[in-house]
Amino acid sequence: MSLGVTEAIRSGNTVLGIEFGSTRIKAVLIGSDHETIASGSHDWENSYVNQIWTYSLEDIWKGLQDSYSKMANDVKEKYGVTLQTVGAIGFSGMMHGYMAFDEAGELLTPFRTWRNNITQQASEVLSETFKFSIPQRWSIAHLYQSVLNQEEHVTDIHFMTTLAGYIHWKLTGQKVLGVGEASGVFPIDIQTKSYHETMVSQFNDLVASENLPWRLENIVPTVLVAGDGAGTLTEEGAKLLDVSGKLQAGIPLCPPEGDAGTGMVATNSVEQRTGNVSAGTSVFAMIVLEKELSKAYSEIDLVTTPSGSLVAMAHSNNCSSDLNEWVGLFGQFARAMGMDVQSDKLYGTLYNLALEGDADCGGLLAYGYLSGEHMTHFEEGRPLFVRSSDSNFNLANFMRVHLFTALGALKIGMDILLKQENVKLDEILGHGGLFKTAGVGQRIMAAALNTPVSVMETAGEGGAWGIALLASYMLNKSDDETLEVYLKERAFAGKAGATISPDPKDVAGFEAFMERYTKGLAIERAAVEHFN
């Protein structure tokens, strides 16, 4: 095995995937069997600067270079080979957000991430104009809000893209996006697999009175689909990626994708009647639709798979961040008591304890709104824990309510799809940090959605592995081989997974919790208005 892998590394018979998540940048190198050969990661955090959630360009490049360097070092340590080339590369990043550049390629305003709920006016006007839901975090909402705000940088815009598109552009010179990522920039026409031309014209008409020196179609990236070539690594790009200077130029790249698309790929959820849910800092469910929805919903995004199929996306800005901080607090208590508790044991103990709690969390209520939450119409958030004098307040219920509330906003969106639109789902595939403790996140998710939830043995590989699979598909597909077939028959053949079906008591308990959650939003509103 090792000898074969060593030769594959030397000959470049490998594929590299790198994903920019909200708390970690991960690089994964895979072989021709799609198994991980080496990996490296870099932890990072967004900053809240001038009321904007952002990451600096310095942090972006430092993180990219560190994750690549650690992956290359992993190759060297395991196989004794210096990484000099690979067969293909793919980049993925957090979807949405706003990066605008001038003609010289300089960033005009700090990167505005998906986490910012600052474009409500633009979102409402665009949704009404297009008759298509435009969430606040979409790139087009950020652009139009900048126009409405009369921001000085707007007249200097020469190019607008996302984080993944920015990295890809700087490493290849190509201003492109994969269709899944592009569908979070501007609505996609499912027939043409590109931006919806009528809506593009409507947008240009909307801003015509501003006399801007650009038209929308001239400042957005070109849209590509899975399997398309998206340029090659330039000499400058190779040096940007590998500061040691050992990586060779000329490596082909697949279209850059968003974390939603790579999550679908990493869980083999790109066919109709399948779906996946990614649960970490944020949580979103992606359901591949058999037909269009009956109408537009502000709670539901319509995006696409990396190959351009229609997907309904229910997205909540907040999932495990507040939960993680509570776990961290218990870790501090353990250390104060003289106990050295490893993180996995701490999470495992507390998460499993939640399964022993009352089905409805004993009457407890919590909101993990570290930031705003569009699903429930909050521009800002205040993490809250609330109980009445007769609530069953114990540690099991405390952990259970924080796991439940991590999925509360998501459930509001999913209920629209499953109960109002009668969307059919055979199963949901789960991935992300919430599922790391075996069985717990799955059982809670199954209760929330009243649907079987499966976790593949590959789920821990995440989006970096997903974008590596997309790069592998571009490199290795046969002429008429679809992404769906490639994943099913090549990448996932023989891969095992564990499925948990919903427990009726848990389902009923989650529904009871949601009644409390919906009524209690007034408490969250009061906290936002009166606690700064």
Side-chain angles (χ1 to χ4, degrees), residues 11 15-16 28 61 66 75 81 84 172 195 264 299 324 392 408 485-486:
S11 64
V15 170
L16 173 62
V28 170
W61 291 109
D66 187 46
V75 169
V81 181
Q84 294 181 301
T172 66
Y195 304 116
M264 284 187 272
E299 299 87 352
N324 291 340
N392 188 11
V485 169
Y486 184 88

Side-chain angles (χ1 to χ4, degrees), residues 204-266:
N204 286 330
D205 290 343
L206 200 60
V207 299
S209 62
E210 302 292 332
N211 294 314
L212 297 169
W214 48 260
R215 292 177 63 82
L216 181 64
E217 61 269 28
N218 297 328
I219 64 168
V220 289
T222 300
V223 182
L224 302 174
V225 297
D228 286 345
T232 58
L233 188 66
T234 62
E235 293 282 355
E236 180 186 13
K239 291 183 177 69
L240 271 174
L241 181 56
D242 179 13
V243 292
S244 76
K246 297 182 177 72
L247 186 66
Q248 299 170 8
I251 300 167
L253 273 76
C254 72
E257 265 298 347
D259 52 359
T262 58
M264 284 187 272
V265 172

Side-chain angles (χ1 to χ4, degrees), residues 425-455:
L425 259 181
D426 295 329
E427 66 175 346
I428 284 268
L429 279 293
H431 66 117
L434 196 72
F435 301 104
K436 192 172 181 182
T437 299
V440 179
Q442 258 180 289
R443 182 167 152 187
I444 302 296
M445 186 69 73
L449 304 183
N450 196 16
T451 300
V453 176
S454 299
V455 173

Side-chain angles (χ1 to χ4, degrees), residues 328-408:
L329 189 72
F330 289 119
Q332 290 177 35
F333 169 76
R335 287 190 294 276
M337 294 295 290
M339 296 178 282
D340 183 18
V341 182
Q342 296 297 311
S343 178
D344 285 352
K345 172 135 193 223
L346 185 64
Y347 272 91
T349 300
L350 292 171
Y351 273 39
N352 277 289
L353 200 57
L355 299 184
E356 300 174 17
D358 298 326
D360 73 339
C361 311
L364 305 182
L365 178 61
Y367 297 96
Y369 289 8
L370 207 65
S371 66
E373 182 53 67
H374 76 101
M375 194 71 79
T376 47
H377 313 294
F378 284 86
E379 291 187 17
E380 296 179 57
R382 301 288 185 273
L384 278 181
F385 169 67
V386 186
R387 66 188 177 100
S388 65
S389 55
D390 61 350
S391 297
N392 188 11
F393 183 40
N394 57 40
L395 186 54
N397 281 335
F398 184 82
M399 290 309 302
R400 189 175 179 90
V401 77
H402 280 90
L403 280 161
F404 270 32
T405 201
L407 306 178

Side-chain angles (χ1 to χ4, degrees), residues 108-119:
L108 289 165
T109 185
F111 170 34
R112 299 171 186 179
T113 78
W114 58 271
R115 201 170 195 171
N116 291 286
N117 274 12
I118 55 174
T119 65

Side-chain angles (χ1 to χ4, degrees), residues 514-528:
M514 284 304 296
E515 286 186 32
R516 199 180 315 131
Y517 181 97
T518 305
K519 289 178 182 176
L521 287 170
I523 307 171
E524 175 70 17
R525 177 62 63 193
V528 170

